Amino acid sequence: MDLEKPPRDARDTAPGAGQSAEGCLTVAVRLPVRIVALVLVLPVRMAWDALVVAARFLGRTVLRPLGRAVLWLARAVFVRPVVGLWRYVLVPLAKGVGWLGTVLVVRPVRWVYRWVLTPAGHALGWVYARLVVPVGTGLWAAVVWLARYLVVLPAGWLHRWVLAPVGRALAWCGRGVAWCVRMVVTGIGTALYWTGRVLLVLPVLALWRWVLAPVGRVLAVIGREVWAALGHAWRVAGYLSRAVGRFLGTLLRWIFVEPVRWVYRTVLTPVGHVVRDHLLRPVAAAARGAGRAVRQGLASVRASVRQARADVRRALFGAPRQARPVDRREPSGAEARTLGSSTTALTKD
């Protein structure tokens, strides 16, 4: 059953020490659990591999082209209109609104701040420094003197001779009451502690030590082996699934692909070459020759029709008038260059 034997941990690498470290429970649980896990996991792994192959084929042949088409459509329908709207509508509109805001709001506010608020602020500062500060200083000194002799001194005398003695007496009484309460609470807490320890903690501790801990160890061993068996079964099922896939692929190739390839190579290709060389190419050459002859015939017919139409027009309306030469005062090209002689103007007799 073990197609691969990778060392799982240190207990597998130490020969002779595995049985003593694992125990009889682990050895007894491992083999049945692995067999059951292999039987349960093998169909799941084969179905998973089939789904993976189908998903890859579907993604390569359907989803990827569909995604490209959807991306191109989204770019053509949404991105380009939005970019055009942003570039040719919103940006110029924002620039115009910014210019209007600068002209209608920022510059007037700056002018008001510079020529109205700043002088008003300087004037207020002068009034505050020359009038409010001296008057406020005198009033503050008077208020401080009145507060000292009307509030601070009477309050200090009241705290020293009345509130402090009363507070000390209350604090002494509170400490006594707190000591009494602490002693009562300590006694009650000690009684509750020993009662809870005897009635709850010791039974729970005994239950944990003698029942739950052994059962937990057994369940931990079983769970660890089940998990290891599932992993081992998944790997073995993967090998089996790949082997079945290769067998089916080979069978499909030898049943369908190779016969079709042989038929294509040995039958269809020679037949196609024969049809191409002995049928299609002569037919194409004949078609090209017929087309060339038809084109030449049509060209000659068009020339004959054109000539007949010119003869009919000449018979009905006469020959077209020849353009009379105009005696221009300017010399022609050659005469202009030589002034009507074979020599230039500088060497003329």
Side-chain angles (χ1 to χ4, degrees), residues 331-345 348:
S332 61
E335 295 177 353
R337 288 194 298 270
T338 60
L339 296 179
S341 64
S342 60
T343 59
T344 61
K348 185 178 179 180

Side-chain angles (χ1 to χ4, degrees), residues 314-330:
R314 189 178 301 108
L316 293 177
F317 302 101
R321 295 181 179 180
Q322 298 293 331
R324 296 176 61 185
V326 179
D327 188 8
R328 297 181 299 174
R329 298 180 63 184
E330 293 81 2

Side-chain angles (χ1 to χ4, degrees), residues 54-71:
R56 289 177 181 173
F57 176 76
L58 184 63
R60 185 170 55 252
T61 58
V62 177
L63 297 180
R64 191 175 298 172
L66 182 61
R68 293 194 184 100
V70 171
L71 182 61

